[in-house]
Amino acid sequence: MSIEHKIIEYRQKLEKYDTRLIAVSKTKPNEDLLQAYNAGQRDFGENKVQELARKAEELPQDINWHMIGHLQRNKVKYIAPFVALIHSIDSSRLAAEVNKQALRNERKIACLLQVYIADEETKFGFSEEELLDFLKSDQFSELTHIEIKGLMGMATNTDDQAQIRSEFASLKRIADRISAEVDSDRVSMEELSMGMTSDYEIACEEGSTMVRIGSAIFGSRNYPPTQTTAP
Ligand SMILES: *Cc1c(COP(=O)(O)O)cnc(C)c1O
């Protein structure tokens, strides 16, 4: 099936949950993104700063670019002028750097806080207590140019559906707790970015508002990223 058809198919699947599709286009050439674009897709997710910045320059200006991967502080400046949403704020130091670059660009940057919900060693993110401490801290109250729109989490890479479900449910529960305990006009819990190709249905059932789907739409990943010319 073509990329256009896949986009349409997934948007239909997501309709009943009222969940937005973030098309994860990492490693894919511009032509593939344009096929999705021509099917009406405007939200694209990338996990590498350089690739995201290059594609943003080469592709149509009305695309919303989502940074979904681990973000190094020294690279924030390359996406700060235009990024639509950073899903992967995983430390207070990164949040502070995003705030600094937002100020420099005279804009506010929408962010999600990444929470560690998986039973894996390698994942990035805040723990529940770190998150609460951070949002209630004096440091956070000074970060006037970031707007926290919700949380992002990745479930354990496992076949155990019950485990995946309980990890997503825990993210939702943490979001509800923040809503109840944190009173700031820069914090809302309207977005829950959870679910990818293998687990998006469970995520939707557990309250996801954005799923990040890559391989189901674009096919398995190309490594290294294919270089293409501007369209
Ligand atoms: C690559 C990636 C995805 C998409 O993964 P698929 O399994 O291809 O759908 C989602 N979220 C993050 C953070 C990713 O890096």
Side-chain angles (χ1 to χ4, degrees), residues 93-134:
R93 291 169 80 200
L94 177 59
E97 177 63 20
V98 172
N99 183 71
K100 180 172 147 194
Q101 296 301 332
L103 269 164
R104 204 164 270 177
N105 285 279
E106 297 180 358
R107 66 185 293 243
K108 294 192 172 169
I109 297 182
C111 297
L112 305 179
L113 299 171
Q114 184 170 351
V115 187
Y116 178 89
I117 52 171
D119 183 18
E120 285 171 355
E121 292 286 313
T122 55
K123 292 279 156 67
F124 295 101
F126 289 89
S127 70
E128 180 173 355
E129 292 313 319
E130 283 168 351
L131 200 58
L132 267 294
D133 288 349
F134 172 56

Side-chain angles (χ1 to χ4, degrees), residues 81-214:
F82 65 88
V83 69
L85 182 64
I86 300 176
H87 293 229
S88 44
I89 302 291
D90 58 8
S91 71
S92 56
R93 291 169 80 200
L94 177 59
E97 177 63 20
V98 172
N99 183 71
K100 180 172 147 194
Q101 296 301 332
L103 269 164
R104 204 164 270 177
N105 285 279
E106 297 180 358
R107 66 185 293 243
K108 294 192 172 169
I109 297 182
C111 297
L112 305 179
L113 299 171
Q114 184 170 351
V115 187
Y116 178 89
I117 52 171
D119 183 18
E120 285 171 355
E121 292 286 313
T122 55
K123 292 279 156 67
F124 295 101
F126 289 89
S127 70
E128 180 173 355
E129 292 313 319
E130 283 168 351
L131 200 58
L132 267 294
D133 288 349
F134 172 56
L135 291 174
K136 293 175 181 177
S137 68
D138 292 341
Q139 189 208 355
F140 178 72
S141 66
E142 286 163 17
L143 304 182
T144 53
H145 282 63
I146 57 174
E147 289 179 335
I148 307 299
K149 300 289 188 191
L151 305 180
M152 185 272 242
M154 292 169 83
T156 304
N157 186 6
T158 172
D159 291 332
D160 183 345
Q161 311 268 307
Q163 181 178 352
I164 293 169
R165 187 176 297 281
S166 90
E167 290 172 358
F168 286 146
S170 77
L171 191 66
K172 170 73 175 148
R173 184 188 54 72
I174 295 167
D176 291 344
R177 183 174 169 202
I178 291 170
S179 294
E181 293 186 25
V182 175
D183 180 24
S184 162
D185 56 6
R186 285 177 298 105
V187 180
S188 80
M189 287 289 127
E190 65 202 84
E191 303 288 2
L192 271 187
S193 169
M194 57 186 198
M196 27 206 261
T197 293
S198 59
D199 56 19
Y200 80 92
E201 278 177 299
I202 304 175
C204 288
E205 287 164 11
E206 297 303 324
S208 172
T209 68
M210 294 179 163
V211 292
R212 309 175 309 271
I213 296 187

Side-chain angles (χ1 to χ4, degrees), residues 57-93:
E57 202 172 297
E58 294 173 352
L59 288 162
Q61 292 302 302
D62 62 342
I63 289 176
N64 304 316
W65 292 101
H66 296 251
M67 176 62 194
I68 63 170
H70 179 61
L71 178 56
Q72 287 171 292
R73 276 175 289 140
N74 61 355
K75 293 186 178 165
V76 174
K77 57 180 177 283
Y78 300 115
I79 58 170
F82 65 88
V83 69
L85 182 64
I86 300 176
H87 293 229
S88 44
I89 302 291
D90 58 8
S91 71
S92 56
R93 291 169 80 200

